[in-house]
Structures are given as structure tokens and as C-alpha cells.
Amino acid sequence: MGVTLSPKQAVACQRNGLDVHLLDWKSIDSTTFGPFDGIVSVGAFEHFCSVEEYLAGTQERVYESFFKRCRLLLPAGGRLYLQTMTWGRNAPAYDDISLSARKGSNEYILAVMQRAYPGSWLPAGEEQIERCAAPYFRLVSRKNGRRDYIETMNRWDRVWKWSPRKIVPALKMLPCFLTDHDFRYKLESLRNGYNRVCFIREVMDHQRLIFEAIEPS
Ligand SMILES: C[S@@+](CC[C@H](N)C(=O)[O-])C[C@H]1O[C@@H](n2cnc3c(N)ncnc32)[C@H](O)[C@@H]1O
């Protein structure tokens, strides 16, 4: 059973026989579906805190509330697998991220990515995540997936190589390109592989964490 905020993803999953619901995790409690044996979250946690929440100092409250909710749905000893991007050791400070920064710098690349993919602020790192989970979960396994993610993106590049078959879809995107200023940032980010650059430069990192639900104290 899965939840997503994307109507198109929900429909595609349902069409393929999956039990997927269009729901925010914030609206799920133990009465929504009942308890679960385990929970898996892949590539969603990094979207849970908005830039506004980060600036208001409530990032950890968002994460604590997620762990609390997951704990309510699991038995003691039940496991939560969490895969998420985090900021890396070379991430610039929020105030330094700017489109006026030197082109190609970490500060400039992140400013472009914020325009292309607005709305999220990443977790600071695995220590922050572990701290927020601590009242409900104990960390039992941790793996850094940064290099795997770079390899994944290299392979996506090979699959998505330019071919004449892509002319029609590309032409369909032309109106967006001409009218939506942020769409240009998306293209710039994709064309230059900014996401991959961030992983290579350790501006972003990637964690795979397994937690085990503890007895309530
Ligand atoms: C970048 S996608 C990755 C998801 C997954 N790995 C996949 O391949 O589909 C992020 C996912 O997180 C989901 N998501 C983000 N915030 C959510 C929330 N508050 N409640 C439920 N789903 C959420 C989005 O709907 C989206 O499906």
C-alpha cells in the first residue's frame, strides 16, 4: 500500500494494480488504514520540509511529527526504511544561494535548482534525522548512497540520449519554454546535470537508513 501527493502517479500505480492512495502522510493516523508491519519511504523525506518551515526554524518539528506518525502505525520492533537526500558537507548557507553568484558555483547551481524544483529544503544530514527519530526509533543500519546515485544518474543519461524520436515531445515543450521563466531553469538544470554535480561535489548527500520502533518510554 502506498501514498503519494501526485494524482498522475496515483493513477499510474492504480492502473498497474497497486493499492495507492492520493494522501498526505500528515493526514494518516492509526485509524486510516490500521497498523502496518513495516514502512518504506524512498525519495520523499527530502520534500517534507518547505523552505518557509526551514526559515521559521520548524524543520525538526516536521521530521519528529513524521517519525511519531510512523511509530503509531508500527508494532515495537517494526521497521522503517528511509531513503533520502540530505545536504552534504560542502553545502552553502541559505543566504549565499543566489542567481547572481558566479555561474557554475555551488551557490549558483542551487539557486537554479530552487527555481526549477521549488518548495523543499533538505535535511541537514543523518545526525539530524537520527535525532528527530530518537524518541520513537533506534537506528539499526546506515548506508551512504551518494556514489550509487551518481552511477544511477549516469545510466539515466545513457537511456535518455537524444534521438529523432524525441523531436515531437521536444516541440510540445516549446510553449512552456517560451512562456514559463522557471521552465528554462529546469532545462538548464537537466542539461548540465546539476543534480549529479551536487552529488559529485558533496553539496548533496544521500542516506539509506533502517530504523526499528522502540517501546514507548
Ligand atoms: C521525487 S518523488 C520520489 C518517489 C519514489 N521514489 C518514486 O520513484 O516514485 C517524491 C515522492 O514523495 C511524495 N511525497 C512528498 N511529500 C509527501 C507527503 N507529504 N505525503 C505523501 N507523499 C509525499 C510525492 O508525491 C512523490 O511521489
Side-chain angles (χ1 to χ4, degrees), residues 3-208:
V3 293
T4 175
L5 292 180
S6 159
K8 285 187 179 173
Q9 188 182 31
V11 168
C13 289
Q14 287 155 3
R15 211 173 29 231
N16 285 282
L18 299 171
D19 186 6
V20 168
H21 302 256
L22 191 61
L23 265 185
D24 191 323
W25 62 261
K26 293 178 185 128
S27 66
I28 300 173
D29 62 26
S30 53
T31 62
T32 315
F33 301 115
F36 288 83
D37 301 317
I39 298 175
V40 172
S41 172
V42 179
F45 191 85
E46 54 266 66
H47 304 291
F48 291 170
C49 174
S50 67
V51 174
E52 292 73 21
E53 284 165 326
Y54 166 72
L55 293 175
T58 56
Q59 183 175 35
E60 300 204 354
R61 212 180 297 160
V62 174
Y63 297 156
E64 278 161 21
S65 140
F66 172 73
F67 286 113
K68 183 177 183 182
R69 222 161 262 272
C70 289
R71 178 64 188 87
L72 283 175
L73 301 177
L74 291 172
R79 288 191 166 189
L80 162 66
Y81 172 72
L82 187 69
Q83 181 167 311
T84 180
M85 285 158 59
T86 68
W87 289 120
R89 62 192 174 111
N90 297 322
Y94 173 83
D95 287 336
D96 295 334
I97 297 173
S98 165
L99 287 171
S100 318
R102 182 178 51 81
K103 232 179 164 168
S105 65
N106 296 340
E107 292 76 6
Y108 173 82
I109 286 178
L110 287 179
V112 171
M113 288 179 70
Q114 277 191 342
R115 291 291 287 267
Y117 311 104
S120 307
W121 187 258
L122 299 185
E126 73 204 62
E127 293 81 12
Q128 181 189 45
I129 301 173
E130 193 177 353
R131 190 169 58 248
C132 295
Y136 314 101
F137 290 94
R138 144 182 108 78
L139 186 65
V140 291
S141 163
R142 166 172 60 199
K143 270 200 173 147
N144 191 300
R146 185 178 68 85
R147 286 168 192 270
D148 294 336
Y149 214 157
I150 295 169
E151 175 62 16
T152 301
M153 286 190 251
N154 288 341
R155 292 190 187 210
W156 280 343
D157 263 7
R158 274 176 246 147
V159 172
W160 286 100
K161 252 209 279 263
W162 176 254
S163 79
R165 277 190 312 139
K166 294 186 177 135
I167 289 176
V168 173
L171 285 176
K172 281 189 186 158
M173 289 199 295
L174 199 59
C176 287
F177 182 70
L178 295 175
T179 55
D180 177 356
H181 198 58
D182 288 346
F183 188 74
R184 296 170 189 213
Y185 290 115
K186 196 167 271 183
L187 276 188
E188 178 180 344
S189 175
L190 284 174
R191 212 181 44 240
N192 296 298
Y194 282 166
N195 215 177
R196 177 176 32 202
V197 171
C198 285
F199 283 112
I200 291 171
R201 293 184 185 174
E202 296 192 55
V203 169
M204 291 177 184
D205 213 328
H206 189 256
Q207 295 295 336
R208 301 175 185 138

